[in-house]
Amino acid sequence: MTGADLAAIRKAAGLSQTELAQRVGIGRHAVSYWECRAKVERTAWAVERMAEVLNLPDAPVVLPVKMVFIDRRAQEMARQDALRLAMMQAVEAQLKAIKANRRVRCGAKTRKGTACRMKSEPGRRRCKFHGGKSTGPTTADGKARIAEAQRLRWARWRSERVKSCRAGP
Ligand SMILES: [Zn+2]
Protein backbone atom coordinates (compact mmCIF):
# COMPACT_ATOMS: atom_id res chain seq x y z
CA MET A 1 0.00 0.00 0.00
CA THR A 2 1.30 3.45 -0.96
CA GLY A 3 0.72 6.73 0.85
CA ALA A 4 -1.57 7.76 -2.01
CA ASP A 5 -3.64 4.58 -1.37
CA LEU A 6 -3.93 5.52 2.29
CA ALA A 7 -5.11 9.04 1.39
CA ALA A 8 -7.64 7.62 -1.07
CA ILE A 9 -9.03 5.23 1.55
CA ARG A 10 -9.29 8.09 4.08
CA LYS A 11 -11.10 10.32 1.61
CA ALA A 12 -13.46 7.48 0.66
CA ALA A 13 -14.33 7.25 4.38
CA GLY A 14 -15.23 10.96 4.25
CA LEU A 15 -12.59 12.00 6.76
CA SER A 16 -10.08 14.84 6.72
CA GLN A 17 -6.54 14.19 8.00
CA THR A 18 -7.42 16.03 11.22
CA GLU A 19 -10.66 14.10 11.74
CA LEU A 20 -8.93 10.75 11.25
CA ALA A 21 -6.11 11.73 13.60
CA GLN A 22 -8.57 12.79 16.32
CA ARG A 23 -10.68 9.62 15.98
CA VAL A 24 -7.77 7.30 16.60
CA GLY A 25 -5.72 9.46 18.91
CA ILE A 26 -2.67 10.25 16.79
CA GLY A 27 -1.19 13.52 15.57
CA ARG A 28 -2.39 15.01 12.28
CA HIS A 29 1.21 15.12 11.12
CA ALA A 30 1.47 11.36 11.47
CA VAL A 31 -1.40 11.03 8.98
CA SER A 32 0.18 13.40 6.48
CA TYR A 33 3.58 11.78 7.03
CA TRP A 34 2.35 8.35 5.99
CA GLU A 35 0.24 9.72 3.13
CA CYS A 36 3.43 11.20 1.62
CA ARG A 37 5.39 7.96 1.86
CA ALA A 38 5.91 5.71 -1.16
CA LYS A 39 5.29 2.67 1.02
CA VAL A 40 3.08 2.56 4.10
CA GLU A 41 4.46 0.31 6.84
CA ARG A 42 1.35 -1.61 7.75
CA THR A 43 2.79 -2.57 11.14
CA ALA A 44 3.85 0.96 12.13
CA TRP A 45 2.16 2.14 15.30
CA ALA A 46 0.32 5.15 13.72
CA VAL A 47 -0.75 3.04 10.75
CA GLU A 48 -2.19 0.39 13.04
CA ARG A 49 -4.15 3.13 14.85
CA MET A 50 -5.53 4.38 11.51
CA ALA A 51 -6.53 0.82 10.62
CA GLU A 52 -8.86 0.87 13.64
CA VAL A 53 -11.09 3.29 11.68
CA LEU A 54 -10.13 2.80 8.05
CA ASN A 55 -10.53 -0.49 6.26
CA LEU A 56 -6.85 -0.96 5.39
CA PRO A 57 -5.66 -4.09 3.62
CA ASP A 58 -4.17 -6.61 6.00
CA ALA A 59 -0.46 -6.60 6.61
CA PRO A 60 1.26 -9.56 5.02
CA VAL A 61 2.13 -12.16 7.64
CA VAL A 62 5.84 -12.05 8.30
CA LEU A 63 7.52 -14.33 10.79
CA PRO A 64 9.56 -12.49 13.39
CA VAL A 65 13.24 -12.69 12.44
CA LYS A 66 14.10 -14.74 15.53
CA MET A 67 11.49 -17.38 14.71
CA VAL A 68 12.80 -17.70 11.18
CA PHE A 69 16.28 -18.16 12.60
CA ILE A 70 15.19 -20.87 15.02
CA ASP A 71 13.29 -22.62 12.25
CA ARG A 72 16.32 -22.63 9.96
CA ARG A 73 18.57 -23.83 12.75
CA ALA A 74 16.12 -26.63 13.59
CA GLN A 75 16.05 -27.62 9.93
CA GLU A 76 19.83 -27.67 9.77
CA MET A 77 20.06 -29.72 12.96
CA ALA A 78 17.49 -32.21 11.66
CA ARG A 79 19.47 -32.50 8.42
CA GLN A 80 22.70 -33.16 10.31
CA ASP A 81 20.97 -35.67 12.59
CA ALA A 82 19.71 -37.59 9.57
CA LEU A 83 23.20 -37.52 8.07
CA ARG A 84 24.79 -38.75 11.29
CA LEU A 85 22.22 -41.53 11.60
CA ALA A 86 22.84 -42.67 8.03
CA MET A 87 26.60 -42.73 8.67
CA MET A 88 26.16 -44.70 11.89
CA GLN A 89 23.94 -47.22 10.13
CA ALA A 90 26.50 -47.63 7.35
CA VAL A 91 29.29 -48.24 9.87
CA GLU A 92 27.07 -50.66 11.80
CA ALA A 93 26.29 -52.61 8.62
CA GLN A 94 30.01 -52.78 7.81
CA LEU A 95 30.88 -54.03 11.30
CA LYS A 96 28.11 -56.61 11.04
CA ALA A 97 29.47 -57.83 7.71
CA ILE A 98 33.00 -58.03 9.13
CA LYS A 99 31.74 -59.92 12.17
CA ALA A 100 29.78 -62.36 10.00
CA ASN A 101 32.94 -63.26 8.05
CA ARG A 102 35.48 -63.16 10.84
CA ARG A 103 37.44 -66.34 11.51
CA VAL A 104 39.28 -66.73 14.80
CA ARG A 105 41.50 -69.42 16.25
CA CYS A 106 39.18 -72.23 17.43
CA GLY A 107 40.96 -72.90 20.73
CA ALA A 108 38.80 -75.86 21.80
CA LYS A 109 40.52 -78.42 24.03
CA THR A 110 41.79 -81.35 21.95
CA ARG A 111 42.34 -84.96 23.04
CA LYS A 112 46.02 -84.13 23.47
CA GLY A 113 44.97 -81.44 25.96
CA THR A 114 46.20 -78.59 23.76
CA ALA A 115 44.14 -75.83 22.19
CA CYS A 116 42.77 -76.50 18.67
CA ARG A 117 44.68 -74.41 16.13
CA MET A 118 42.07 -74.59 13.36
CA LYS A 119 40.35 -71.46 12.13
CA SER A 120 36.74 -71.13 13.23
CA GLU A 121 33.81 -71.21 10.84
CA PRO A 122 33.10 -67.63 9.50
CA GLY A 123 31.32 -65.57 12.15
CA ARG A 124 31.65 -68.38 14.70
CA ARG A 125 34.07 -69.14 17.47
CA ARG A 126 34.74 -72.85 16.81
CA CYS A 127 36.08 -74.80 13.86
CA LYS A 128 33.97 -77.33 11.92
CA PHE A 129 35.23 -80.16 14.15
CA HIS A 130 34.38 -78.42 17.41
CA GLY A 131 30.79 -77.30 16.84
CA GLY A 132 31.38 -74.38 14.48
CA LYS A 133 28.72 -75.71 12.13
CA SER A 134 26.29 -76.49 14.93
CA THR A 135 22.87 -74.85 14.79
CA GLY A 136 22.14 -75.82 18.38
CA PRO A 137 19.93 -78.52 19.88
CA THR A 138 16.68 -79.37 18.13
CA THR A 139 14.94 -81.89 20.39
CA ALA A 140 13.13 -80.84 23.56
CA ASP A 141 15.51 -83.03 25.52
CA GLY A 142 18.56 -81.40 23.92
CA LYS A 143 17.21 -77.90 24.48
CA ALA A 144 16.56 -78.65 28.16
CA ARG A 145 20.10 -79.98 28.51
CA ILE A 146 21.74 -76.87 27.02
CA ALA A 147 19.47 -74.60 29.12
CA GLU A 148 20.58 -76.40 32.27
CA ALA A 149 24.24 -76.18 31.22
CA GLN A 150 23.88 -72.43 30.66
CA ARG A 151 22.21 -71.98 34.02
CA LEU A 152 25.11 -73.73 35.74
CA ARG A 153 27.64 -71.75 33.70
CA TRP A 154 26.15 -68.38 34.67
CA ALA A 155 25.74 -69.44 38.30
CA ARG A 156 29.44 -70.29 38.34
CA TRP A 157 30.28 -66.98 36.69
CA ARG A 158 28.23 -65.06 39.27
CA SER A 159 29.79 -66.80 42.26
CA GLU A 160 33.29 -66.24 40.84
CA ARG A 161 32.52 -62.56 40.35
CA VAL A 162 31.35 -62.27 43.96
CA LYS A 163 34.57 -63.94 45.11
CA SER A 164 36.77 -61.59 43.09
CA CYS A 165 34.80 -58.60 44.43
CA ARG A 166 35.39 -59.72 48.01
CA ALA A 167 39.07 -60.31 47.35
CA GLY A 168 39.28 -56.72 46.18
CA PRO A 169 42.07 -55.12 44.21
ZN1 LIG B 1 38.64 -76.77 16.66
Side-chain angles (χ1 to χ4, degrees), residues 106-108 116-118 126-130:
C106 169
C116 172
R117 290 161 70 186
M118 292 272 291
R126 295 296 190 203
C127 74
K128 60 184 171 181
F129 299 119
H130 289 118

Side-chain angles (χ1 to χ4, degrees), residues 47-166:
V47 178
E48 291 221 41
R49 295 286 81 71
M50 287 187 260
E52 287 168 10
V53 169
L54 303 175
N55 190 22
L56 300 183
D58 281 337
V61 177
V62 178
L63 280 178
V65 172
K66 202 176 173 188
M67 279 181 68
V68 172
F69 173 64
I70 288 168
D71 187 47
R72 281 209 196 113
R73 200 167 54 173
Q75 269 179 11
E76 179 59 20
M77 275 166 67
R79 202 181 65 80
Q80 283 184 1
D81 277 355
L83 205 71
R84 212 172 297 139
L85 186 70
M87 275 166 65
M88 271 166 56
Q89 280 171 343
V91 168
E92 224 163 86
Q94 261 178 24
L95 285 176
K96 215 170 159 186
I98 289 168
K99 216 173 166 184
N101 293 314
R102 185 161 48 202
R103 303 187 76 177
V104 295
R105 187 61 58 84
C106 169
K109 196 165 95 180
T110 62
R111 271 181 270 183
K112 272 197 274 177
T114 57
C116 172
R117 290 161 70 186
M118 292 272 291
K119 270 197 171 174
S120 71
E121 286 297 294
R124 304 208 150 235
R125 295 178 57 192
R126 295 296 190 203
C127 74
K128 60 184 171 181
F129 299 119
H130 289 118
K133 277 189 185 297
S134 173
T135 53
T138 51
T139 63
D141 198 36
K143 283 177 185 169
R145 206 164 53 202
I146 197 74
E148 180 57 21
Q150 292 288 24
R151 254 195 302 281
L152 288 174
R153 176 176 170 235
W154 286 111
R156 205 158 54 231
W157 179 80
R158 271 192 297 273
S159 76
E160 267 162 33
R161 196 176 55 156
V162 168
K163 262 186 251 162
S164 71
C165 283
R166 277 188 196 139

